[in-house]
Amino acid sequence: MRHRNSMFETGNYRGTGDPGLSKVQILTIVLSVISVIAAILIIANFGMITAQIAMNIANLLSSGALVLVTIVALAVLIGRFRWRARRSFWGW
């Protein structure tokens, strides 16, 4: 039995509704237009966008947030390793 009102229905199935575009085709067209507009804006403002990215990365590196994330990641990895070692000892 076919699902009714499914957004991801096959494009060749036409229900009893309007014989126009399916929902999938409309979604594809809308997302394609948004992607083209975003690509044009990125190309037009490439210098400003790369400068903004560079400033954000410099702020992130100088804020110490990267050090905090590294310390937390190491603590989680060490904790997981110790937990596994403790569990594998009793597993034999």
Side-chain angles (χ1 to χ4, degrees):
M1 181 174 201
R2 181 173 291 281
H3 298 286
R4 299 201 74 204
N5 296 328
S6 174
M7 186 171 113
F8 299 106
E9 65 188 5
T10 58
N12 59 3
Y13 173 74
R14 304 283 189 214
T16 58
D18 187 23
L21 298 173
S22 70
K23 295 173 187 173
V24 174
Q25 291 171 331
I26 292 171
L27 180 66
T28 303
I29 291 170
V30 169
L31 292 177
S32 298
V33 169
I34 291 172
S35 296
V36 168
I37 291 172
I40 291 171
L41 290 174
I42 288 173
I43 291 170
N45 298 320
F46 188 73
M48 184 186 69
I49 290 173
T50 53
Q52 195 72 16
I53 291 172
M55 286 190 314
N56 288 337
I57 295 298
N59 286 336
L60 178 70
L61 292 175
S62 65
S63 70
L66 191 60
V67 174
L68 180 64
V69 168
T70 305
I71 291 171
V72 169
L74 285 174
V76 168
L77 287 174
I78 290 172
R80 287 183 62 171
F81 177 72
R82 287 188 178 181
W83 177 256
R84 269 195 207 143
R86 191 176 307 141
R87 281 187 31 188
S88 65
F89 176 75
W90 295 107
W92 60 276

